[in-house]
Amino acid sequence: MYVPNDNLTLAADAHASAAAHRTLWRWHFYAGLFVMPLLIVLAVTGTLYCLQPQIEPLLYRDRMVVAAEAAPRLSRETLLAKAFAGAPLGAVPTTAQIGTDPRRSAEFVFRLPSGESESVYVNPYSGALLGTLSVEHRLMKQVRNLHRALLLGKTGELLMELAGCWTLVMIGTGIALWWPGGAQKTWRKGGVWVPRLRLRGRAWWRDLHAVGGIWFAIGALFFVLSGLPWSGSWGKQFKELATSAQLGYPKGAWGEAHVHSTAPAVSATQGGHDMHAMHDNHDQHALKMDDLPLPQTPWAVGLTDVPEVPPHAPGAARVSLDSVVALAAAQGVTDDYSIALPKSQSGVYTVSYFPADPKAERTLHVDQYSGRVLSDIRYDDYGRVAQWISYGTSLHMGRYFGLANQIVCAAISMGLASMALSGFVMWWKRRPQRELGAPPRPVGRPAMRVWRGGLTVLGIVFPLMGATMLVVWISDRIAFGRTGAAGS
């Protein structure tokens, strides 16, 4: 009769556990090696950008801040004319920033002959020109571009997208390595929820890294998942998919106050010929909300079409900017929003309201001649996915619950930066001379079906990441394939 050898079974289990641990550690190392410098950039720039409402008025106080006066403010049309007179020769007005704060100047954005844009600031009480500021080169624009693309254009967008995807691997492997288990690691001991400060050297850094990492894991996961829909490659494709599947904003905007997924049927006696002409024009028109010169638009409406109106005779009168502001106020949009000005005789005024509360988001397209609302897009018109992303965006940017939201975002961001730095210190203390210092590959191949399945799913959902995982796997086999013992 066969009697199982418990010692052999325990030894096999211990070997399998050690092999799994080394595999996870190895992947955590490679993910961290790539993500660590980019994570620091993301943390610093993200913190600065979420504090934009406080930073910009301090940096550009001479242009953005005025003394509040009891005198009435000049009309928007008058202020626009003053700004136009102070703009460079050949500049074309594109956007008006609308606000009611009595201490803030009036801001209008102009497109310059060079193709760049410039903000012109005017005292709303006297009409005096306060100065100009390049849209592309102002500090917060540079911070945002650094955050999203490292100032490297499309290449930088792809790198930052990859950094977000590989952060998911870093979080997953980090939690698995931290997870208490076995005879020597329980939920009650130090090193799980609280670092053991009595330790010294690399062990102290390891405890700080592991415990700190688990506390910041949820925040890091949220930042990645809420940021990826805005990424330049995967995010754009995801937005197109969500829009076409009506999980984002339903395709097509028809009618004055509501949004429909298709154009309503119109009989010939009701002006069907004109509606069909408008429908044909709408389908052929390529201008999207994301193409407008707006500082920020809700994610859900980015790929929606901007309607056009039948062109009028040259010199036909437009409704005034003040009328559009009054119309927006009548629709409940009263403060801190942007109006994209008509670009041509067939263009429209577009009111874009991107507030802290996603439920108040609003997009209005207004006929420049009649002042009629051509479309009115509200939060309730979004698909479920777009509604979730709207909330995620507001929280991600530190806007949803005010200053407290900014503080929480800054704390998480800087905490993640500290995790990157502590990981670097651990690697520096452990690395051999003139070698990469990757954790040794285990002897044998552990099953780890759940882990392999998870990586496969990530590679399918994020194809660019899937390609880089193959590159890492092949490089690991070719260049860093030696096994050996190393401490953890």
Short mmCIF file of all heavy atoms in Angstrom, two decimals, residues 21 174-181 184-199 202-215 419 426 488:
data_model
loop_
_atom_site.label_atom_id
_atom_site.label_comp_id
_atom_site.label_asym_id
_atom_site.label_seq_id
_atom_site.Cartn_x
_atom_site.Cartn_y
_atom_site.Cartn_z
N HIS A 21 6.38 33.12 -6.46
CA HIS A 21 6.83 34.39 -5.89
C HIS A 21 7.88 35.05 -6.77
O HIS A 21 7.81 36.26 -7.04
CB HIS A 21 7.40 34.15 -4.49
CG HIS A 21 7.95 35.38 -3.84
ND1 HIS A 21 7.18 36.25 -3.11
CD2 HIS A 21 9.21 35.89 -3.83
CE1 HIS A 21 7.93 37.25 -2.68
NE2 HIS A 21 9.17 37.05 -3.09
N GLY A 174 2.22 43.71 -7.17
CA GLY A 174 2.55 44.23 -5.84
C GLY A 174 1.61 43.71 -4.78
O GLY A 174 2.04 43.33 -3.68
N ILE A 175 0.31 43.67 -5.08
CA ILE A 175 -0.66 43.14 -4.11
C ILE A 175 -0.39 41.66 -3.86
O ILE A 175 -0.45 41.18 -2.72
CB ILE A 175 -2.10 43.36 -4.62
CG1 ILE A 175 -2.44 44.85 -4.62
CG2 ILE A 175 -3.11 42.59 -3.77
CD1 ILE A 175 -3.79 45.17 -5.24
N ALA A 176 -0.09 40.90 -4.93
CA ALA A 176 0.18 39.47 -4.77
C ALA A 176 1.43 39.23 -3.92
O ALA A 176 1.45 38.32 -3.08
CB ALA A 176 0.35 38.83 -6.14
N LEU A 177 2.46 40.04 -4.10
CA LEU A 177 3.68 39.88 -3.30
C LEU A 177 3.45 40.29 -1.85
O LEU A 177 4.08 39.74 -0.94
CB LEU A 177 4.81 40.73 -3.91
CG LEU A 177 5.34 40.26 -5.27
CD1 LEU A 177 6.27 41.31 -5.86
CD2 LEU A 177 6.06 38.92 -5.15
N TRP A 178 2.57 41.27 -1.64
CA TRP A 178 2.29 41.75 -0.29
C TRP A 178 1.37 40.81 0.47
O TRP A 178 1.46 40.70 1.69
CB TRP A 178 1.64 43.13 -0.38
CG TRP A 178 0.92 43.59 0.86
CD1 TRP A 178 1.45 44.26 1.92
CD2 TRP A 178 -0.47 43.39 1.17
NE1 TRP A 178 0.48 44.51 2.86
CE2 TRP A 178 -0.71 43.98 2.43
CE3 TRP A 178 -1.53 42.77 0.51
CZ2 TRP A 178 -1.96 43.97 3.03
CZ3 TRP A 178 -2.79 42.75 1.10
CH2 TRP A 178 -2.99 43.35 2.35
N TRP A 179 0.51 40.08 -0.24
CA TRP A 179 -0.59 39.34 0.39
C TRP A 179 -0.08 38.42 1.50
O TRP A 179 0.77 37.56 1.28
CB TRP A 179 -1.31 38.51 -0.67
CG TRP A 179 -2.62 37.96 -0.17
CD1 TRP A 179 -2.84 36.73 0.39
CD2 TRP A 179 -3.88 38.62 -0.19
NE1 TRP A 179 -4.15 36.59 0.73
CE2 TRP A 179 -4.82 37.74 0.39
CE3 TRP A 179 -4.31 39.87 -0.62
CZ2 TRP A 179 -6.17 38.07 0.53
CZ3 TRP A 179 -5.64 40.21 -0.48
CH2 TRP A 179 -6.56 39.31 0.09
N PRO A 180 -0.60 38.60 2.72
CA PRO A 180 -0.16 37.76 3.84
C PRO A 180 -0.57 36.32 3.62
O PRO A 180 -1.67 36.02 3.18
CB PRO A 180 -0.90 38.35 5.05
CG PRO A 180 -1.30 39.72 4.62
CD PRO A 180 -1.56 39.62 3.15
N GLY A 181 0.33 35.41 3.96
CA GLY A 181 0.03 33.99 3.81
C GLY A 181 1.20 33.16 4.28
O GLY A 181 2.30 33.65 4.48
N GLN A 184 4.76 32.19 8.16
CA GLN A 184 5.54 33.27 8.74
C GLN A 184 4.97 34.66 8.44
O GLN A 184 5.60 35.65 8.74
CB GLN A 184 6.98 33.19 8.23
CG GLN A 184 7.67 31.90 8.65
CD GLN A 184 9.10 31.86 8.17
OE1 GLN A 184 9.57 32.76 7.50
NE2 GLN A 184 9.81 30.79 8.54
N LYS A 185 3.80 34.73 7.84
CA LYS A 185 3.24 36.03 7.52
C LYS A 185 1.74 36.00 7.76
O LYS A 185 1.01 35.29 7.08
CB LYS A 185 3.54 36.37 6.05
CG LYS A 185 3.37 37.86 5.73
CD LYS A 185 3.81 38.15 4.32
CE LYS A 185 3.74 39.66 4.03
NZ LYS A 185 4.08 39.96 2.64
N THR A 186 1.27 36.71 8.72
CA THR A 186 -0.15 36.73 9.06
C THR A 186 -0.66 38.15 8.97
O THR A 186 0.08 39.11 8.86
CB THR A 186 -0.37 36.19 10.49
OG1 THR A 186 0.17 37.12 11.42
CG2 THR A 186 0.28 34.83 10.67
N TRP A 187 -1.99 38.26 9.06
CA TRP A 187 -2.62 39.57 8.94
C TRP A 187 -2.33 40.47 10.13
O TRP A 187 -2.51 41.67 10.07
CB TRP A 187 -4.14 39.39 8.80
CG TRP A 187 -4.53 38.82 7.48
CD1 TRP A 187 -4.80 37.52 7.20
CD2 TRP A 187 -4.68 39.52 6.26
NE1 TRP A 187 -5.11 37.35 5.88
CE2 TRP A 187 -5.06 38.58 5.27
CE3 TRP A 187 -4.53 40.86 5.88
CZ2 TRP A 187 -5.28 38.93 3.95
CZ3 TRP A 187 -4.77 41.20 4.57
CH2 TRP A 187 -5.14 40.25 3.62
N ARG A 188 -1.92 39.89 11.26
CA ARG A 188 -1.76 40.69 12.47
C ARG A 188 -0.36 41.24 12.66
O ARG A 188 -0.14 42.11 13.48
CB ARG A 188 -2.14 39.84 13.70
CG ARG A 188 -3.62 39.43 13.70
CD ARG A 188 -3.97 38.66 14.95
NE ARG A 188 -5.39 38.29 14.96
CZ ARG A 188 -5.96 37.60 15.94
NH1 ARG A 188 -5.24 37.20 16.99
NH2 ARG A 188 -7.24 37.31 15.88
N LYS A 189 0.60 40.73 11.97
CA LYS A 189 1.98 41.15 12.18
C LYS A 189 2.29 42.45 11.48
O LYS A 189 1.66 42.81 10.48
CB LYS A 189 2.94 40.05 11.69
CG LYS A 189 3.00 38.85 12.62
CD LYS A 189 4.10 37.91 12.19
CE LYS A 189 4.25 36.75 13.18
NZ LYS A 189 5.36 35.84 12.81
N GLY A 190 3.30 43.15 12.01
CA GLY A 190 3.78 44.35 11.33
C GLY A 190 4.33 43.99 9.97
O GLY A 190 4.71 42.85 9.71
N GLY A 191 4.38 44.99 9.10
CA GLY A 191 4.82 44.74 7.75
C GLY A 191 3.68 44.46 6.80
O GLY A 191 3.89 44.30 5.60
N VAL A 192 2.44 44.39 7.34
CA VAL A 192 1.26 44.17 6.52
C VAL A 192 0.51 45.48 6.35
O VAL A 192 0.35 45.99 5.25
CB VAL A 192 0.35 43.09 7.12
CG1 VAL A 192 -0.92 42.93 6.28
CG2 VAL A 192 1.09 41.76 7.19
N TRP A 193 0.04 46.03 7.46
CA TRP A 193 -0.67 47.31 7.41
C TRP A 193 0.17 48.47 7.93
O TRP A 193 -0.11 49.62 7.62
CB TRP A 193 -1.96 47.23 8.23
CG TRP A 193 -2.94 46.23 7.71
CD1 TRP A 193 -3.30 45.06 8.31
CD2 TRP A 193 -3.66 46.28 6.48
NE1 TRP A 193 -4.21 44.39 7.54
CE2 TRP A 193 -4.46 45.12 6.41
CE3 TRP A 193 -3.71 47.19 5.44
CZ2 TRP A 193 -5.28 44.85 5.33
CZ3 TRP A 193 -4.55 46.93 4.36
CH2 TRP A 193 -5.32 45.78 4.31
N VAL A 194 1.17 48.15 8.74
CA VAL A 194 2.03 49.18 9.33
C VAL A 194 3.48 48.77 9.12
O VAL A 194 3.84 47.62 9.40
CB VAL A 194 1.75 49.35 10.83
CG1 VAL A 194 2.66 50.40 11.43
CG2 VAL A 194 0.29 49.72 11.07
N PRO A 195 4.34 49.67 8.62
CA PRO A 195 5.75 49.30 8.43
C PRO A 195 6.46 49.09 9.76
O PRO A 195 6.16 49.76 10.75
CB PRO A 195 6.33 50.49 7.66
CG PRO A 195 5.44 51.64 8.01
CD PRO A 195 4.07 51.06 8.18
N ARG A 196 7.39 48.15 9.78
CA ARG A 196 8.17 47.87 10.99
C ARG A 196 9.38 48.81 11.00
O ARG A 196 10.41 48.54 10.39
CB ARG A 196 8.60 46.41 11.01
CG ARG A 196 7.44 45.44 11.16
CD ARG A 196 7.82 44.02 10.81
NE ARG A 196 8.09 43.88 9.38
CZ ARG A 196 8.36 42.71 8.79
NH1 ARG A 196 8.38 41.59 9.49
NH2 ARG A 196 8.59 42.66 7.49
N LEU A 197 9.22 49.90 11.70
CA LEU A 197 10.23 50.96 11.68
C LEU A 197 11.52 50.56 12.39
O LEU A 197 12.54 51.25 12.24
CB LEU A 197 9.66 52.23 12.31
CG LEU A 197 8.41 52.79 11.60
CD1 LEU A 197 7.91 54.04 12.33
CD2 LEU A 197 8.70 53.10 10.13
N ARG A 198 11.48 49.48 13.16
CA ARG A 198 12.70 49.05 13.85
C ARG A 198 13.70 48.40 12.90
O ARG A 198 14.88 48.22 13.25
CB ARG A 198 12.34 48.05 14.96
CG ARG A 198 11.81 46.73 14.45
CD ARG A 198 11.47 45.77 15.58
NE ARG A 198 10.99 44.49 15.11
CZ ARG A 198 9.74 44.24 14.73
NH1 ARG A 198 8.85 45.22 14.78
NH2 ARG A 198 9.38 43.04 14.32
N LEU A 199 13.25 48.03 11.71
CA LEU A 199 14.14 47.41 10.74
C LEU A 199 15.17 48.41 10.25
O LEU A 199 14.99 49.63 10.37
CB LEU A 199 13.35 46.84 9.57
CG LEU A 199 12.34 45.74 9.89
CD1 LEU A 199 11.56 45.35 8.65
CD2 LEU A 199 13.05 44.52 10.48
N ARG A 202 17.93 47.74 3.73
CA ARG A 202 17.00 47.45 2.65
C ARG A 202 15.70 46.87 3.18
O ARG A 202 14.63 47.10 2.57
CB ARG A 202 17.65 46.47 1.67
CG ARG A 202 16.79 46.17 0.47
CD ARG A 202 17.53 45.37 -0.59
NE ARG A 202 16.62 44.96 -1.64
CZ ARG A 202 15.90 43.85 -1.61
NH1 ARG A 202 16.02 43.01 -0.59
NH2 ARG A 202 15.08 43.55 -2.61
N ALA A 203 15.73 46.16 4.30
CA ALA A 203 14.49 45.61 4.86
C ALA A 203 13.53 46.72 5.27
O ALA A 203 12.31 46.59 5.11
CB ALA A 203 14.82 44.72 6.06
N TRP A 204 14.08 47.83 5.79
CA TRP A 204 13.24 48.97 6.18
C TRP A 204 12.58 49.56 4.94
O TRP A 204 11.38 49.87 4.95
CB TRP A 204 14.10 50.02 6.88
CG TRP A 204 13.34 51.21 7.38
CD1 TRP A 204 12.72 51.33 8.57
CD2 TRP A 204 13.12 52.45 6.68
NE1 TRP A 204 12.12 52.56 8.69
CE2 TRP A 204 12.36 53.27 7.54
CE3 TRP A 204 13.49 52.94 5.43
CZ2 TRP A 204 11.96 54.57 7.17
CZ3 TRP A 204 13.09 54.21 5.07
CH2 TRP A 204 12.34 55.01 5.94
N TRP A 205 13.34 49.71 3.86
CA TRP A 205 12.78 50.25 2.63
C TRP A 205 11.74 49.30 2.04
O TRP A 205 10.72 49.74 1.50
CB TRP A 205 13.90 50.47 1.61
CG TRP A 205 14.73 51.68 1.90
CD1 TRP A 205 15.95 51.72 2.51
CD2 TRP A 205 14.39 53.05 1.62
NE1 TRP A 205 16.40 53.00 2.63
CE2 TRP A 205 15.45 53.85 2.09
CE3 TRP A 205 13.30 53.66 1.02
CZ2 TRP A 205 15.45 55.23 1.98
CZ3 TRP A 205 13.28 55.04 0.90
CH2 TRP A 205 14.34 55.81 1.37
N ARG A 206 11.99 48.00 2.14
CA ARG A 206 11.04 47.02 1.61
C ARG A 206 9.71 47.10 2.36
O ARG A 206 8.64 47.05 1.74
CB ARG A 206 11.62 45.61 1.74
CG ARG A 206 10.72 44.51 1.19
CD ARG A 206 11.36 43.15 1.37
NE ARG A 206 11.63 42.89 2.78
CZ ARG A 206 12.42 41.91 3.22
NH1 ARG A 206 13.04 41.13 2.35
NH2 ARG A 206 12.62 41.74 4.51
N ASP A 207 9.77 47.21 3.68
CA ASP A 207 8.53 47.34 4.46
C ASP A 207 7.78 48.62 4.11
O ASP A 207 6.56 48.62 3.95
CB ASP A 207 8.86 47.34 5.96
CG ASP A 207 8.30 46.13 6.67
OD1 ASP A 207 8.28 45.06 6.03
OD2 ASP A 207 7.87 46.26 7.83
N LEU A 208 8.54 49.71 4.01
CA LEU A 208 7.92 50.99 3.65
C LEU A 208 7.27 50.92 2.28
O LEU A 208 6.14 51.40 2.07
CB LEU A 208 8.99 52.09 3.67
CG LEU A 208 8.50 53.53 3.47
CD1 LEU A 208 7.67 53.98 4.65
CD2 LEU A 208 9.68 54.46 3.26
N HIS A 209 7.95 50.28 1.34
CA HIS A 209 7.45 50.16 -0.03
C HIS A 209 6.19 49.27 -0.08
O HIS A 209 5.20 49.63 -0.72
CB HIS A 209 8.54 49.58 -0.92
CG HIS A 209 8.18 49.48 -2.36
ND1 HIS A 209 8.27 50.54 -3.23
CD2 HIS A 209 7.71 48.42 -3.10
CE1 HIS A 209 7.88 50.16 -4.44
NE2 HIS A 209 7.54 48.88 -4.38
N ALA A 210 6.25 48.13 0.60
CA ALA A 210 5.13 47.18 0.55
C ALA A 210 3.89 47.73 1.24
O ALA A 210 2.78 47.69 0.70
CB ALA A 210 5.56 45.86 1.18
N VAL A 211 4.06 48.26 2.44
CA VAL A 211 2.92 48.77 3.20
C VAL A 211 2.36 50.04 2.55
O VAL A 211 1.15 50.18 2.39
CB VAL A 211 3.31 49.03 4.66
CG1 VAL A 211 2.16 49.68 5.43
CG2 VAL A 211 3.72 47.72 5.33
N GLY A 212 3.26 50.95 2.18
CA GLY A 212 2.79 52.16 1.52
C GLY A 212 2.09 51.85 0.21
O GLY A 212 1.06 52.45 -0.13
N GLY A 213 2.64 50.87 -0.53
CA GLY A 213 2.06 50.51 -1.81
C GLY A 213 0.64 49.99 -1.68
O GLY A 213 -0.22 50.31 -2.50
N ILE A 214 0.38 49.20 -0.64
CA ILE A 214 -0.97 48.66 -0.49
C ILE A 214 -1.96 49.74 -0.11
O ILE A 214 -3.13 49.72 -0.52
CB ILE A 214 -0.98 47.50 0.54
CG1 ILE A 214 -2.16 46.56 0.26
CG2 ILE A 214 -1.04 48.00 1.95
CD1 ILE A 214 -2.10 45.87 -1.08
N TRP A 215 -1.51 50.73 0.64
CA TRP A 215 -2.41 51.84 1.00
C TRP A 215 -2.73 52.71 -0.21
O TRP A 215 -3.83 53.28 -0.30
CB TRP A 215 -1.78 52.69 2.11
CG TRP A 215 -1.91 52.08 3.47
CD1 TRP A 215 -0.92 51.48 4.19
CD2 TRP A 215 -3.08 52.01 4.28
NE1 TRP A 215 -1.39 51.03 5.40
CE2 TRP A 215 -2.72 51.35 5.49
CE3 TRP A 215 -4.40 52.43 4.12
CZ2 TRP A 215 -3.65 51.11 6.51
CZ3 TRP A 215 -5.32 52.20 5.14
CH2 TRP A 215 -4.93 51.54 6.31
N MET A 419 6.49 55.83 -3.67
CA MET A 419 6.63 54.39 -3.91
C MET A 419 7.63 54.13 -5.03
O MET A 419 8.43 53.19 -4.96
CB MET A 419 5.27 53.79 -4.28
CG MET A 419 4.24 53.77 -3.15
SD MET A 419 4.81 52.88 -1.68
CE MET A 419 5.40 54.23 -0.65
N MET A 426 15.45 50.41 -3.26
CA MET A 426 15.58 48.96 -3.02
C MET A 426 16.39 48.30 -4.13
O MET A 426 17.25 47.45 -3.86
CB MET A 426 14.19 48.34 -2.94
CG MET A 426 13.40 48.71 -1.70
SD MET A 426 11.67 48.23 -1.85
CE MET A 426 11.82 46.48 -2.11
N SER A 488 15.16 38.32 -1.55
CA SER A 488 14.05 39.20 -1.85
C SER A 488 14.02 40.36 -0.91
O SER A 488 13.18 41.21 -1.02
CB SER A 488 12.73 38.43 -1.78
OG SER A 488 12.52 37.96 -0.47
#
